[in-house]
């Protein structure tokens, strides 16, 4: 029985990942693409942006497991074998990193750090009055594991937190929940700092355009740690120029790496990080992946399986 590791792009060395997976599943034959050996023996594929079309080479594949939280890099493969479970990575270390990243930017914007930086560059001493956390509404788009965990941390800091997602869910521990396109404008009207954690699907592509950004109160902030194509970059730049959006912290982009000539790089109110908000940790992620492999081997369902119904 073999597990195939395949990636065209990862911040970690594949050697580190195969070592982590071998430690977590010593009895499994871990192979790194293209050294896939006898294709009949491959039963699990663990992938991050795998070369398109390769997964249909393995007739006995039982599941495709993502090395990251998102699965857009899997479902965008036009040659994906049909009927196999696609398993997202819900890993506590990754969730924790995403929380820290989101908190960093919320606090940066909330406490006017972005203004004081500019003031320092011209030796200007102007004190802004502070806004209380309970008077600042943070709107989180996407209240799955990661979004909920960010929301809980912000509730603990006394921020007013609201959430939005595609499907109906009850409001949770201090987070009022809005759902569906009908409630999107209400959600945006109340949001001072928007955090996007949504995955990229057909429904979320270009979900936030000029119209939606104009529904945010003037001077709102945007933090995007979901996927780039969800928030329209051209519209964002134009609303930053007009001051409707005060500043944006972006970790994900329509095209990655962000091209050198993209105007986002030089905008004074844009903070760019190179898709590092939630890096999968080889030790803890290998353990999480192994738990799912063992579930499947025991005839149980892996968790969480990506499906259109529970996608946010
Ligand atoms: C990162 O973007 C991930 O999907 O884990």
């Amino acid at each position: 029985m073999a597990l195939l590791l395949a990636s065209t792009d990862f911040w970690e060395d594949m050697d580190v990942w195969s070592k982590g997976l071998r430690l977590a599943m010593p009895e499994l034959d871990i192979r790194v693409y293209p050294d896939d050996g006898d294709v009949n023996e491959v039963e699990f594929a663990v992938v991050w942006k795998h070369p398109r079309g390769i997964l249909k080479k393995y007739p006995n594949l039982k599941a495709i497991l993502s090395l990251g939280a998102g699965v857009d890099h899997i479902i965008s493969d036009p040659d994906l074998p049909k009927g196999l479970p696609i398993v997202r990575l819900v890993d506590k270390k990754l969730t924790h990193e995403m929380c820290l990243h989101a908190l960093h930017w919320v606090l940066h914007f909330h406490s006017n750090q972005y203004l004081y930086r500019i003031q320092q560059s011209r030796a200007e001493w102007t004190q802004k009055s502070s806004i209380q956390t309970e008077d600042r509404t943070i709107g989180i788009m996407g209240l799955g594991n990661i979004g909920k965990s960010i929301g809980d941390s912000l509730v603990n800091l006394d921020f007013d937190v609201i959430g939005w997602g595609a499907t109906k869910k009850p409001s949770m521990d201090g987070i009022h929940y809005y759902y569906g396109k009908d409630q999107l404008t209400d959600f945006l009207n109340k949001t001072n700092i928007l955090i996007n954690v949504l995955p990229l699907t057909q429904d979320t592509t270009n979900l936030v355009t000029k119209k939606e950004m104009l529904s945010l109160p003037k001077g709102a902030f945007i933090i995007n740690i979901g996927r780039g194509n969800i928030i329209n970059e051209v519209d964002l730049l134009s609303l930053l120029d007009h001051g409707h959006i005060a500043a944006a912290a972006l970790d994900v982009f329509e095209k990655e790496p962000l091209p050198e000539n993209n105007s986002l790089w030089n905008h004074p109110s844009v903070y760019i990080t190179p898709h590092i908000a939630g890096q999968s940790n080889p030790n803890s992620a290998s353990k999480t992946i192994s738990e799912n492999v063992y579930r499947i081997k025991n005839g149980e369902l892996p968790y969480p399986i990506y499906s259109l119904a529970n996608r946010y």
Side-chain angles (χ1 to χ4, degrees), residues 11 48 66-73 89 94 98 225-227 252 275 278-280:
W11 45 80
W48 179 259
S66 176
L67 265 183
V71 295
D72 46 306
H73 61 103
L89 177 67
L94 191 153
M98 299 279 283
I225 52 176
R227 285 292 183 263
V252 284
H275 200 144
Q279 299 184 27
S280 301

Side-chain angles (χ1 to χ4, degrees), residues 123-247:
E124 178 188 334
W125 183 280
T126 306
Q127 296 170 324
K128 305 272 173 203
S129 52
S130 58
I131 294 180
Q132 298 307 301
T133 47
E134 59 272 25
D135 297 329
R136 184 83 80 174
T137 301
I138 319 291
I140 303 174
M141 300 183 84
L143 270 196
N145 289 285
I146 295 169
K148 168 80 168 56
S149 180
I150 294 172
D152 290 342
S153 311
L154 292 166
V155 167
N156 283 335
L157 292 174
D158 275 341
F159 282 101
D160 179 43
V161 183
I162 59 178
W164 180 89
T167 46
K168 191 168 177 172
K169 286 189 206 174
S171 287
M172 36 192 119
D173 313 329
I175 305 178
H176 185 85
Y177 181 71
Y178 296 77
Y179 69 93
K181 291 268 167 77
D182 291 353
Q183 296 185 4
L184 184 57
T185 306
D186 278 355
F187 162 82
L188 293 170
N189 283 168
K190 295 193 172 61
T191 294
N192 304 118
I193 302 182
L194 179 69
I195 304 178
N196 176 47
V197 200
L198 287 169
L200 185 66
T201 66
Q202 265 179 6
D203 292 345
T204 62
T205 301
N206 221 18
L207 179 70
V208 181
T209 64
K210 194 165 193 166
K211 172 173 168 289
E212 287 72 30
M213 286 185 242
L214 283 170
S215 299
L216 292 164
K218 185 168 165 44
F221 302 92
I222 292 184
I223 299 168
N224 191 5
I225 52 176
R227 285 292 183 263
N229 314 49
I230 297 170
I231 297 179
N232 186 290
E233 287 174 1
V234 172
D235 291 353
L236 174 60
L237 271 168
S238 118
L239 290 179
L240 282 162
D241 284 341
H242 288 98
H244 186 79
I245 304 295

Side-chain angles (χ1 to χ4, degrees), residues 84-88 300-308 310-311:
L84 292 179
I86 296 172
V87 187
R88 298 183 46 232
E300 296 162 26
L301 284 179
Y303 172 82
I305 298 184
Y306 167 81
S307 89
L308 282 176
N310 65 11
R311 64 199 187 281

